[in-house]
Amino acid sequence: MTSLKEWIGYIEPEGPADPSAILRATRDALGEFCEISTIWREETERVSTVADTVAYTLRVPDWSAIVDVLELEYDDLILTPATEKELDVIYGIGSDLKGNQWMWGVVTGVQGWRALTATSPEYFYLLPTRQIRLVPIPTTALTNGLTPRVVVLKPSYKAMEVPEFLFEHYRDDIALGAKARLLKQSNVPWSNPRIGEEYYQQFVQKAAQAKMRADSSNLMRNVVVGSTLFGGYEGEG
């Protein structure tokens, strides 16, 4: 782990002398960088499911917060991520004049697919509470049934340290974001909105480039795993 204080020397020459202000700007920049780039990806602890339970909380470190869940398995079966609107389309949801919802012509009440149950779920989405919602709702309990394969994280609002790779590989990119926040402040001696905006645009571009690399790396991991499952091996010509 690396302390946020390690960034101070890379930001201070263009910002305030107050370390606390630099730390706040650094934490905010780290959070946005992780949201845009999705580079902080981890497989988190398995979660046991309970029959007829709708949502589940994933276990992540206290100093981190969930941005997104990219891959989730239930009983070793890969679930498909979907939005609520996509689920309306998948299940053919509409509504009548009384507010009841129908599913392919069958009135299901006001909850529609949200009340559907099955032995195993097929889809999932992330609730605003950062819990995982399974669709349909599984009717059986399963010890360690949920495996979050790829969870995107960012530092929490109280984090004072982050994984070392964020400093080793993205130190200057994140420093750009922190300096941008400080320079775009008004009515302070270090204010320079024009330079701050230039830094911010560079910061966003660096985060977008990091996302492309992260997505490419994740794709290659899946290709290697897939070729192994189907009898191939790494380096096969």
Side-chain angles (χ1 to χ4, degrees), residues 4 23 37 65 77 107 128 130 133 137 147 153 166 190 201 219 221 227:
L4 268 62
L23 290 176
S37 67
L77 297 175
V107 175
R130 315 326 278 171
R133 172 74 149 86
I137 303 166
T147 305
L153 301 174
L166 288 171
W190 58 85
Q201 294 305 319
L219 176 62
R221 179 183 67 84
S227 69

Side-chain angles (χ1 to χ4, degrees), residues 146-218:
L146 277 180
T147 305
R149 290 292 183 196
V150 183
V151 179
V152 179
L153 301 174
K154 67 176 181 179
S156 69
Y157 71 93
K158 60 181 180 180
M160 289 302 296
E161 55 182 22
V162 293
E164 187 175 354
F165 83 92
L166 288 171
F167 184 78
E168 291 296 325
H169 297 291
Y170 303 101
R171 178 196 64 203
D172 294 338
D173 300 341
I174 291 161
L176 275 174
K179 288 188 287 188
R181 281 164 172 73
L182 292 166
L183 294 174
K184 291 173 72 173
Q185 293 176 359
S186 57
N187 301 319
V188 291
W190 58 85
S191 178
N192 192 331
R194 183 182 63 81
I195 299 298
E197 183 58 28
E198 289 181 7
Y199 282 168
Y200 183 72
Q201 294 305 319
Q202 294 176 40
F203 166 77
V204 171
Q205 183 179 23
K206 295 290 187 181
Q209 292 170 350
K211 184 179 191 316
M212 291 177 63
R213 292 192 294 271
D215 288 344
S216 176
S217 176
N218 196 61

Side-chain angles (χ1 to χ4, degrees), residues 120-136:
S120 299
E122 295 182 69
Y123 305 95
F124 76 92
Y125 64 92
L126 194 61
L127 293 166
T129 58
R130 315 326 278 171
Q131 291 179 301
I132 290 293
R133 172 74 149 86
L134 301 179
V135 181

Side-chain angles (χ1 to χ4, degrees), residues 12-191:
E12 191 174 36
E14 296 183 67
D18 179 9
S20 63
I22 295 177
L23 290 176
R24 285 193 299 271
T26 301
R27 188 184 296 112
D28 290 345
L30 275 160
E32 186 174 4
F33 193 85
C34 289
E35 288 176 356
I36 296 172
S37 67
T38 70
I39 54 168
W40 185 359
R41 303 181 180 192
E42 292 194 11
E43 179 175 331
T44 60
E45 294 181 43
R46 291 190 172 196
V47 178
S48 297
T49 59
V50 180
D52 302 317
T53 298
V54 173
Y56 295 87
T57 300
L58 302 184
R59 303 185 187 100
V60 298
D62 290 340
W63 37 265
S64 69
I66 295 175
V67 173
D68 200 0
V69 178
L70 302 183
E71 293 183 21
L72 182 70
E73 293 180 3
Y74 177 86
D75 197 18
D76 296 326
L77 297 175
I78 298 174
L79 301 184
T80 302
T83 65
E84 292 180 272
K85 289 185 177 180
E86 287 171 339
L87 289 167
D88 284 344
V89 174
I90 291 167
Y91 287 102
I93 296 294
S95 60
D96 59 24
L97 295 177
K98 296 180 180 179
N100 291 317
Q101 291 188 330
W102 52 261
M103 187 170 60
W104 296 118
V106 179
V107 175
T108 62
V110 294
Q111 296 190 61
W113 54 261
R114 292 171 178 80
L116 289 179
T117 58
T119 304
S120 299
E122 295 182 69
Y123 305 95
F124 76 92
Y125 64 92
L126 194 61
L127 293 166
T129 58
R130 315 326 278 171
Q131 291 179 301
I132 290 293
R133 172 74 149 86
L134 301 179
V135 181
I137 303 166
T139 56
T140 55
L142 196 60
T143 302
N144 293 329
L146 277 180
T147 305
R149 290 292 183 196
V150 183
V151 179
V152 179
L153 301 174
K154 67 176 181 179
S156 69
Y157 71 93
K158 60 181 180 180
M160 289 302 296
E161 55 182 22
V162 293
E164 187 175 354
F165 83 92
L166 288 171
F167 184 78
E168 291 296 325
H169 297 291
Y170 303 101
R171 178 196 64 203
D172 294 338
D173 300 341
I174 291 161
L176 275 174
K179 288 188 287 188
R181 281 164 172 73
L182 292 166
L183 294 174
K184 291 173 72 173
Q185 293 176 359
S186 57
N187 301 319
V188 291
W190 58 85
S191 178

